[in-house]
Amino acid sequence: MNILILGSGGREHALAHQIAKSPLCTKLFVAPGNGGTNEIAVNVPLAINDFEKIADFALTTDVQLIIVGPEEPLVNGIVNYFKENEALQRIAILGPDKTGAQLEGSKAWAKSFMASEGIPTAAYREFTNKTRNEGIHYLDNCNLPIVLKADGLAAGKGVIITSDRDEAKENFNAMLDGMFGHAGNTIVIEQFLAGIEFSMFVITDGKDYILLPEAKDYKRIGEGDTGPNTGGMGAVSPVPFLDDVLAEKVHTQIIKPTLNGLQKRNIDYRGFIFFGLINVNGDPFVIEYNCRMGDPETEVVIPRIKSDLVPLFLGAANGHLPPELPEVTHETAATIMLVAQGYPGPYKKGNPITGTELVHESLVFHAGTLLNETLQTNGGRVMALTSFGMNIQDAINKSLKAAELVHFEGKNYRKDIGKDLLIFEK
Ligand code: AMP
Ligand code: GLY
């Protein structure tokens, strides 16, 4: 069958890399794709939110399965667009509809969903322009540090954590005044949770779910988790502190109640649920839900899956997960993200990239790259270098070696990915 992946990051390259190997895949398209997907699939210059053009393309090229990488088209209703049109209904599309995507698209919706299902998460209050004064009063009295979250999608920038009340109030007002556009019309203020973060992923057909390998990502730009948040600077899978007891708590207290809650609301959720979790003294809490796979988590999670992804993805999209569980390697996967100088602030594009052909021990997943006769940088996160090892150190060493082999002006990366996890490894 012909398959279309929407997106252009390392996540989409990692998905394409695996799907291109499937005997079930005839032609693979990635829209818009990047310099890496170009080599294993056909890049199609379509904007991810232009549903009409995506639909036209899918019909004319006989695409039978669409995998939606990023959250934006899901939150904007791409699945509804396909389901509501008779000609498009026969195309399987993997991802939740607009209502299901609110798990990520509206923090206030997700918080109230968790509250009503009794799912452990930080205590919270929500405010709008109408309740601005109450919000300020609340900020004067709540515990420190303060966690402020813009309700809607804000390109990963919508969370502000501060121990300075005045700074919290300034940001609260700025959010209500449009700092993140409509995303800040509603603000969630929540209790700060102290613990260690990790992420779990499931794929669901709306009824059952299959657990995918877990991961830990590294969000801050600087070593030792310092500096501003990024989309993610690296990731490791498996997570050594996730033992059977903690995993069982996540299943019974979080994953199952989430799926029950969706079913109760008649939300036919077919796709990925990404549980952003925090381990607080052995108890898991939800920090956030995402309605898609993570990036760079996908670059370690997906390569660990050795079985064909196409029956799994197609089954979920069609409402019938296959009975077999995917085969997962016990080896550790680690990825290091090479980023452009200045990222997550302003950065330059168009710098030549060399040396990827020298990397033999790692998988090279392109993110912000463009192949325009030569390979050049085209984004803040440029590429993810994924390696396997018998343990974290072993995998990371290979990715560090690969990171030295690839060159572009202003290359930056964290050398401490996975270091905090070494104490948990047996
Ligand atoms: P989010 O965009 O919701 O993932 O938030 C970004 C980051 O902020 C998370 O990865 C956490 O590190 C941090 N964070 C969010 N909510 C909380 C919370 N309630 N307590 C502590 N840290 C949080
Ligand atoms: N790496 C975090 C995310 O994909 O949301």
Side-chain angles (χ1 to χ4, degrees):
M1 71 181 76
N2 295 342
I3 300 175
L4 168 65
I5 300 173
L6 288 184
S8 61
R11 166 182 52 210
E12 287 75 21
H13 190 189
L15 289 167
H17 170 80
Q18 212 88 332
I19 289 171
K21 293 189 283 197
S22 169
L24 296 169
C25 180
T26 315
K27 268 194 200 150
L28 180 61
F29 302 99
V30 186
N34 59 38
T37 58
N38 215 29
E39 290 173 9
I40 52 170
V42 178
N43 280 357
V44 194
L46 292 170
I48 54 169
N49 286 305
D50 191 343
F51 302 162
E52 211 179 301
K53 288 224 174 80
I54 293 168
D56 280 349
F57 176 81
L59 287 174
T60 52
T61 49
D62 195 23
V63 164
Q64 282 160 283
L65 172 64
I66 301 179
I67 297 149
V68 185
E71 63 279 11
E72 232 190 292
L74 296 168
V75 172
N76 290 340
I78 190 168
V79 171
N80 305 68
Y81 186 92
F82 274 73
K83 294 271 158 72
E84 283 157 18
N85 179 315
E86 216 173 300
L88 300 172
Q89 277 167 7
R90 62 175 178 78
I91 302 173
I93 179 161
L94 184 64
D97 67 8
K98 208 172 176 160
T99 320
Q102 285 187 100
L103 278 185
E104 175 166 5
S106 168
K107 306 235 188 234
W109 191 88
K111 292 300 280 191
S112 114
F113 173 87
M114 286 185 268
S116 76
E117 299 307 319
I119 295 168
T121 187
Y124 81 107
R125 292 276 305 269
E126 69 179 84
F127 300 95
T128 61
N129 196 32
K130 269 195 188 147
T131 52
R132 192 188 286 249
N133 291 340
E134 285 164 48
I136 295 291
H137 182 71
Y138 183 74
L139 289 172
D140 272 325
N141 297 292
C142 68
N143 291 338
L144 299 176
I146 295 166
V147 182
L148 292 177
K149 297 188 173 182
D151 174 54
L153 295 183
K157 300 197 177 89
V159 176
I160 293 168
I161 301 177
T162 174
S163 288
D164 180 332
R165 285 189 201 278
D166 290 332
E167 193 187 319
K169 284 190 234 171
E170 267 167 43
N171 280 301
F172 175 80
N173 281 319
M175 279 189 190
L176 286 178
D177 292 335
M179 173 186 190
F180 298 122
H182 292 305
N185 285 357
T186 298
I187 298 175
V188 167
I189 302 182
E190 61 178 46
Q191 166 204 14
F192 179 84
L193 298 173
I196 183 161
E197 287 177 65
F198 64 109
S199 301
M200 290 178 76
F201 308 90
V202 303
I203 184 166
T204 172
D205 59 6
K207 302 179 285 290
D208 300 313
Y209 70 92
I210 288 178
L211 186 71
L212 304 176
E214 77 281 2
K216 181 176 193 295
D217 85 332
Y218 294 80
K219 287 203 172 81
R220 305 293 195 101
I221 186 73
E223 284 172 20
D225 290 327
T226 53
N229 261 324
T230 70
M233 296 294 290
V236 172
S237 176
V239 173
F241 64 78
L242 179 61
D243 56 21
D244 291 346
V245 176
L246 182 60
E248 185 54 30
K249 286 183 185 171
V250 177
H251 278 281
T252 55
Q253 298 173 13
I254 295 172
I255 299 178
K256 286 177 186 161
T258 298
L259 288 159
N260 284 340
L262 292 170
Q263 282 163 26
K264 243 197 259 172
R265 288 165 181 75
N266 291 320
I267 298 171
D268 189 15
Y269 196 113
R270 302 180 187 185
F272 300 104
I273 308 178
F274 166 156
F275 297 85
L277 305 167
I278 190 161
N279 175 9
V280 182
N281 302 321
D283 284 317
F285 288 76
V286 177
I287 288 276
E288 63 164 355
Y289 287 114
N290 293 309
C291 62
R292 44 147 181 109
M293 284 299 291
D295 192 353
E297 292 88 336
T298 304
E299 290 93 303
V300 289
V301 168
I302 292 296
R304 286 189 63 214
I305 303 177
K306 296 301 168 196
S307 36
D308 192 346
L309 294 176
V310 175
L312 184 63
F313 290 1
L314 189 67
N318 284 335
H320 305 285
L321 276 176
E324 315 80 41
L325 291 181
E327 192 192 323
V328 173
T329 172
H330 292 292
E331 276 189 296
T332 294
T335 198
I336 293 177
M337 190 64 86
L338 305 183
V339 304
Q341 189 174 16
Y343 174 81
Y347 54 83
K348 213 179 123 201
K349 292 183 183 179
N351 287 335
I353 304 170
T354 57
T356 52
E357 73 287 355
L358 304 174
V359 178
H360 302 300
E361 279 192 309
S362 307
L363 297 163
V364 178
F365 295 129
H366 292 226
T369 76
L370 178 71
L371 188 62
N372 194 355
E373 286 183 20
T374 59
L375 189 66
Q376 37 183 273
T377 65
N378 192 41
R381 292 197 291 171
V382 176
M383 55 179 63
L385 303 165
T386 297
S387 317
F388 282 102
M390 295 316 292
N391 52 42
I392 293 173
Q393 192 69 65
D394 189 20
I396 278 293
N397 286 347
K398 290 178 193 160
S399 289
L400 285 171
K401 209 165 117 192
E404 282 177 28
L405 295 171
V406 177
H407 284 287
F408 57 87
E409 199 190 305
K411 175 184 73 176
N412 182 27
Y413 59 97
R414 275 180 64 169
K415 296 178 188 70
D416 67 338
I417 303 299
K419 255 195 183 159
D420 58 327
L421 296 178
L422 297 179
I423 53 162
F424 298 106
E425 274 192 333
K426 285 182 200 88

